[in-house]
Amino acid sequence: MEKEEILIIDFGGQYNQLIARRVREKNVYCEVVPNTISIEKIKEKNPKGIIFTGGPSSIYADDAPKCDIEVFELGIPILGICYGMQLMAYTLGGAVKRATKREYGQMEVSLDNSSKLFKGFKSSNICLMSHTDYVDSVPKGFEKIAKSNTCKIAAMQNLNKNFYGVQFHPEVNHTIDGDKIIENFVIDICGCKGLWKMDYFTKTTIENLKEKIKDKKALCALSGGVDSSVAAVLLSKAIGNNLTCIFVDHGLLRKNEVEEVEKIFKEKFDVNFVKVNAKDRFLNKLKGITSPEKKRKIIGEEFIRVFEEEAKKIGTVDYLVQGTIYPDVIESGLGKSSVIKSHHNVGGLPDYVDFKEIIEPLRDLFKDEVRKVGKEVGLPDYLVNRQPFPGPGLAIRIIGDITEEKLDILKEADYIFRDEISKSNLDKSLSQYFAVLTDTRSVGVMGDERTYDYMVALRAVITDDFMTAKFAQIPYEVLDKISKRIVNEVEHVNRIVYDITSKPPATIEWE
Ligand code: XMP
């Protein structure tokens, strides 16, 4: 296959991996590289096109990130986005100025749709602007190809050199059809054919891991979720038995989950699989605890302790594998917003295991890309398409204190809910759905008997990013069926309610 690569030069923008993702969506391989990359290295990579990302700096700042100016002499098409466009304009002799106010938000931008970059667009489009500096005059050889009310040069091109710049962000959804601009650049302007597939990622990642780790040892904490499972399989394909996966069964997983994970990893993959039966330890620690945050803390700490004890048995390992994916990296990177729930705890280096280095093979991927990789390496669909499940598990779906009896009730009710959702083919359209065991009991009647039993709440939401979510409008007939089955099949439940709050103001989990 002809090598087709787009090189993304990173100037510190927050959407950089999103640009990479957009390029990958067009089936073109790309790499995000630091702005300090040498010209020799760029030449070696011989990309079909280069994208300069945005970034928070002003081109006039002392420490403004630049790149080797020889990049403009390579005869390779370049697209500069936001800061990337300003850098291009400034370096090639245009003028960049500082506005008194930052322009931020979705703006109507007039486009010159005779430009190859805007092929297929109407003469105006909604685009996301986020900048303070702006290009005041284009360099020689360039012409302006877009403007808005507030930004007189919103895009520019140099047809001879195949250089393009856009002040707005085509990589985000807030720019309508922005991905089409990336496609125009990558396919039409750079001439990529779009033959690359995710399996290339899988193959090269496994090869690179093999080369890096050689015959050393790696350790992975397997949660049974998509990310850690995919990371573990990649590692197992690279180093086989030199990978040990520790799966801590804290007793707070869903019905059948422990057995499923165990079966897959023991039967299908060549790894050292260690299952730790720690249910009693966790339940003991959680006895009488009702505060959601305390539950999280106890589970987090106990998890570390169990993991540490198991790791000690293995001795020194060279590498610790984590299933961090790109959205985790962004979330932990921001770290400024106030803590609503303390679950976004990636990035904290576990100092409890003696290891040399952390390996995060999925660090640059988005969830759907991780799922694709998971499929490719042979994980079953039900695991790969698994809905998100919180680390503290069912503990935060039992309101109030946790007992074994309550856990059993919730596992059964949740299982029936999931079963009926999948039988009604609603599972693909829901982002997350689960049962909650409330601490409310109410009076009911079953047969001729008065009951005083638990109320189970059902929660189902639709969301892209889990930051906001809408409650799902599950048809009444389906709810009816679920409700009947739960009260009939699960002892000590006599009432079912459906949660009709969106996020905000509610959160997705009840605790
Ligand atoms: P909330 O309840 O904050 O949930 O709207 C948003 C997403 O995060 C998941 N979640 C957690 N994940 N540990 C986790 O690993 C936690 O403590 C935790 N709390 C919530 C939740 O399931 C949803 O997908």
Side-chain angles (χ1 to χ4, degrees), residues 14 17 227 324-348 363 365-367 388 463-468 503 508:
Q14 54 174 323
Q17 288 297 337
D227 307 339
T324 319
I325 68 170
Y326 186 61
D328 304 332
V329 178
I330 316 181
E331 260 165 34
S332 54
L334 290 176
K336 284 178 204 133
S337 48
S338 62
V339 175
I340 310 289
K341 298 182 185 182
S342 58
H343 53 91
H344 299 305
N345 46 8
V346 268
R363 205 184 156 81
L365 300 191
F366 288 80
K367 194 83 179 187
T463 171
D464 281 335
D465 56 10
F466 296 87
M467 314 280 266
T468 61
K503 173 184 180 178
I508 296 174

Coordinates of all heavy atoms in Angstrom, one line a residue, residues 14 17 227 324-348 363 365-367 388 463-468 503 508:
Q14 N -6.3 22.6 22.2 CA -7.1 21.6 23.0 C -7.8 20.6 22.1 O -8.2 19.5 22.5 CB -8.1 22.2 23.9 CG -9.0 23.2 23.2 CD -10.1 23.7 24.2 OE1 -10.6 23.0 25.0 NE2 -10.5 25.0 24.1
Q17 N -6.2 16.2 19.1 CA -6.5 14.8 18.8 C -7.8 14.7 18.0 O -8.0 13.7 17.4 CB -6.5 14.0 20.1 CG -5.2 13.7 20.7 CD -4.2 12.9 19.8 OE1 -4.7 12.2 18.9 NE2 -2.9 13.1 20.0
D227 N -12.0 -0.4 27.8 CA -10.7 0.1 27.6 C -9.6 -0.8 28.1 O -8.6 -1.1 27.5 CB -10.6 1.5 28.2 CG -11.7 2.4 27.7 OD1 -12.2 2.2 26.7 OD2 -12.0 3.4 28.4
T324 N -6.1 4.0 29.6 CA -6.4 5.4 29.4 C -6.8 5.7 27.9 O -6.0 5.3 27.1 CB -5.2 6.3 29.8 OG1 -4.6 5.8 30.9 CG2 -5.6 7.8 30.0
I325 N -7.9 6.4 27.7 CA -8.2 6.8 26.3 C -8.2 8.3 26.2 O -8.1 9.0 27.3 CB -9.5 6.2 25.8 CG1 -10.7 6.8 26.5 CG2 -9.5 4.7 26.0 CD1 -12.0 6.3 25.9
Y326 N -8.3 8.8 25.0 CA -8.1 10.3 24.9 C -9.0 11.2 25.7 O -8.6 12.1 26.3 CB -8.1 10.6 23.4 CG -7.7 12.1 23.2 CD1 -6.5 12.5 23.5 CD2 -8.6 12.9 22.6 CE1 -6.1 13.9 23.4 CE2 -8.3 14.3 22.5 CZ -7.1 14.7 22.9 OH -6.8 16.0 22.7
P327 N -10.3 10.8 25.7 CA -11.2 11.7 26.5 C -10.8 11.7 28.0 O -10.9 12.7 28.7 CB -12.6 11.1 26.4 CG -12.5 10.4 25.1 CD -11.1 9.9 24.9
D328 N -10.2 10.7 28.5 CA -9.7 10.7 29.9 C -8.5 11.7 30.0 O -8.4 12.4 31.0 CB -9.1 9.3 30.3 CG -10.1 8.2 30.2 OD1 -11.3 8.4 30.3 OD2 -9.6 7.0 30.0
V329 N -7.7 11.7 29.0 CA -6.6 12.6 29.0 C -7.0 14.0 29.1 O -6.5 14.8 29.8 CB -5.6 12.4 27.8 CG1 -4.5 13.3 27.8 CG2 -5.2 10.9 27.7
I330 N -8.0 14.4 28.2 CA -8.5 15.7 28.2 C -9.1 16.1 29.6 O -8.9 17.1 30.1 CB -9.6 16.0 27.2 CG1 -9.3 15.3 25.8 CG2 -9.9 17.5 27.0 CD1 -10.3 15.6 24.8
E331 N -10.0 15.2 30.0 CA -10.7 15.5 31.3 C -9.7 15.7 32.4 O -9.9 16.6 33.2 CB -11.6 14.3 31.6 CG -13.1 14.6 31.3 CD -13.9 13.4 31.3 OE1 -13.7 12.5 32.1 OE2 -14.8 13.4 30.4
S332 N -8.7 14.8 32.5 CA -7.8 15.0 33.7 C -6.9 16.2 33.4 O -6.4 16.8 34.4 CB -7.0 13.7 33.9 OG -6.4 13.4 32.7
G333 N -6.7 16.5 32.2 CA -5.8 17.7 31.9 C -6.5 19.0 32.3 O -5.8 19.9 32.8
L334 N -7.8 19.1 32.1 CA -8.4 20.3 32.5 C -8.4 20.6 34.0 O -7.8 21.5 34.4 CB -9.9 20.3 32.0 CG -10.0 20.4 30.5 CD1 -11.5 20.2 30.1 CD2 -9.5 21.6 29.9
G335 N -9.0 19.6 34.7 CA -8.8 19.6 36.1 C -9.3 20.9 36.8 O -8.9 21.1 38.0
K336 N -10.0 21.8 36.1 CA -10.3 23.1 36.7 C -11.7 23.1 37.3 O -12.0 23.8 38.2 CB -10.1 24.2 35.7 CG -8.7 24.6 35.5 CD -8.6 25.7 34.4 CE -7.3 25.6 33.7 NZ -7.4 25.7 32.3
S337 N -12.6 22.3 36.6 CA -14.0 22.4 37.0 C -14.1 21.8 38.4 O -13.3 20.9 38.8 CB -14.8 21.7 36.0 OG -14.3 20.4 35.7
S338 N -15.2 22.2 39.1 CA -15.3 21.7 40.5 C -15.7 20.2 40.5 O -16.3 19.7 39.5 CB -16.4 22.5 41.2 OG -17.6 22.3 40.5
V339 N -15.4 19.6 41.5 CA -15.6 18.1 41.6 C -17.1 17.9 42.0 O -17.5 18.2 43.1 CB -14.7 17.5 42.7 CG1 -15.0 16.0 42.9 CG2 -13.2 17.7 42.3
I340 N -17.8 17.3 41.0 CA -19.2 16.9 41.3 C -19.2 15.5 41.9 O -19.8 15.2 42.9 CB -20.0 16.9 40.0 CG1 -19.9 18.2 39.2 CG2 -21.5 16.6 40.3 CD1 -20.5 19.4 39.8
K341 N -18.4 14.6 41.2 CA -18.2 13.3 41.7 C -16.7 13.0 41.5 O -16.1 13.5 40.5 CB -19.0 12.3 40.9 CG -20.5 12.5 41.1 CD -21.3 11.5 40.3 CE -22.8 11.8 40.4 NZ -23.6 10.8 39.7
S342 N -16.1 12.3 42.4 CA -14.7 12.2 42.3 C -14.2 11.0 41.4 O -13.3 10.3 41.7 CB -14.1 12.0 43.7 OG -14.7 10.8 44.2
H343 N -14.9 10.8 40.3 CA -14.5 9.6 39.5 C -13.5 9.8 38.4 O -13.0 8.9 37.9 CB -15.8 8.9 39.0 CG -16.7 9.8 38.2 ND1 -16.5 9.9 36.8 CD2 -17.7 10.6 38.6 CE1 -17.5 10.8 36.4 NE2 -18.2 11.1 37.4
H344 N -13.3 11.1 38.1 CA -12.3 11.2 37.0 C -10.9 11.3 37.5 O -10.3 12.3 37.5 CB -12.7 12.5 36.2 CG -14.1 12.4 35.6 ND1 -14.4 11.3 34.8 CD2 -15.2 13.1 35.8 CE1 -15.7 11.4 34.5 NE2 -16.2 12.5 35.1
N345 N -10.5 10.1 37.8 CA -9.2 10.1 38.6 C -8.0 9.6 37.8 O -7.1 9.1 38.3 CB -9.4 9.3 39.9 CG -10.1 8.0 39.5 OD1 -10.3 7.7 38.3 ND2 -10.5 7.2 40.5
V346 N -8.1 9.7 36.5 CA -7.0 9.2 35.7 C -5.8 10.1 35.9 O -6.0 11.3 36.2 CB -7.3 9.2 34.2 CG1 -7.8 7.8 33.8 CG2 -8.2 10.3 33.8
G347 N -4.7 9.6 35.6 CA -3.5 10.5 35.6 C -2.7 10.4 36.9 O -1.6 10.6 37.0
G348 N -3.4 10.0 38.0 CA -2.8 9.9 39.2 C -1.9 8.6 39.1 O -2.4 7.5 38.9
R363 N -4.0 5.8 24.4 CA -4.1 7.1 24.8 C -4.6 8.2 23.8 O -5.1 9.2 24.1 CB -2.6 7.5 25.2 CG -2.5 8.6 26.2 CD -1.1 9.0 26.5 NE -1.0 10.3 27.0 CZ -1.3 10.6 28.2 NH1 -1.6 9.7 29.1 NH2 -1.3 11.9 28.6
L365 N -6.8 7.5 21.3 CA -8.0 7.0 20.6 C -9.3 7.5 21.3 O -9.3 7.7 22.5 CB -8.0 5.5 20.5 CG -6.9 4.8 19.7 CD1 -7.2 3.4 19.5 CD2 -6.6 5.5 18.4
F366 N -10.3 7.6 20.5 CA -11.6 7.9 21.1 C -12.3 6.5 21.3 O -11.9 5.5 20.7 CB -12.4 8.8 20.1 CG -11.9 10.2 20.1 CD1 -10.8 10.5 19.3 CD2 -12.5 11.2 20.8 CE1 -10.3 11.8 19.3 CE2 -12.0 12.5 20.8 CZ -10.9 12.8 20.1
K367 N -13.4 6.6 22.1 CA -14.1 5.4 22.5 C -14.5 4.5 21.3 O -14.2 3.3 21.3 CB -15.3 5.7 23.3 CG -15.9 4.6 24.0 CD -15.2 4.4 25.3 CE -15.7 3.3 26.1 NZ -15.0 3.3 27.5
P388 N -20.8 2.1 29.4 CA -19.9 2.4 30.5 C -20.4 1.9 31.8 O -21.6 1.9 32.1 CB -19.8 3.9 30.5 CG -20.8 4.4 29.5 CD -21.3 3.2 28.7
T463 N -26.8 10.1 25.4 CA -25.8 11.2 25.5 C -24.6 10.9 24.5 O -24.4 9.8 24.2 CB -25.2 11.3 26.9 OG1 -24.1 12.2 26.9 CG2 -24.8 10.0 27.4
D464 N -23.9 12.0 24.1 CA -22.7 11.8 23.3 C -21.5 11.8 24.2 O -20.5 11.0 24.0 CB -22.5 13.0 22.4 CG -23.4 12.8 21.2 OD1 -23.8 11.7 20.8 OD2 -23.7 13.8 20.5
D465 N -21.5 12.6 25.2 CA -20.3 12.8 26.0 C -20.4 12.6 27.5 O -19.5 12.8 28.2 CB -19.8 14.3 25.8 CG -20.9 15.3 26.1 OD1 -21.9 14.9 26.7 OD2 -20.7 16.5 25.8
F466 N -21.6 12.2 27.9 CA -21.9 11.9 29.3 C -21.7 13.1 30.3 O -21.9 13.0 31.5 CB -21.0 10.8 29.8 CG -21.3 9.5 29.1 CD1 -20.7 9.2 27.9 CD2 -22.2 8.6 29.6 CE1 -21.0 8.0 27.2 CE2 -22.6 7.4 28.9 CZ -21.9 7.1 27.7
M467 N -21.5 14.3 29.6 CA -21.4 15.5 30.4 C -22.8 16.1 30.6 O -23.2 16.7 31.6 CB -20.5 16.6 29.8 CG -19.2 16.1 29.2 SD -18.0 15.9 30.5 CE -17.2 17.5 30.3
T468 N -23.6 15.9 29.5 CA -25.0 16.2 29.6 C -25.7 15.0 29.0 O -25.1 14.2 28.3 CB -25.4 17.5 28.7 OG1 -25.0 17.1 27.4 CG2 -24.6 18.7 29.1
K503 N -29.7 15.3 32.5 CA -28.5 15.8 33.2 C -28.1 17.1 32.4 O -27.8 16.9 31.2 CB -27.4 14.8 33.2 CG -26.1 15.3 33.7 CD -25.0 14.3 33.6 CE -23.7 14.9 34.1 NZ -22.5 13.9 34.1
I508 N -26.2 11.2 35.9 CA -26.6 10.0 35.3 C -26.7 8.9 36.4 O -27.8 8.3 36.6 CB -25.6 9.5 34.2 CG1 -25.6 10.5 33.1 CG2 -26.0 8.1 33.7 CD1 -24.6 10.3 32.0

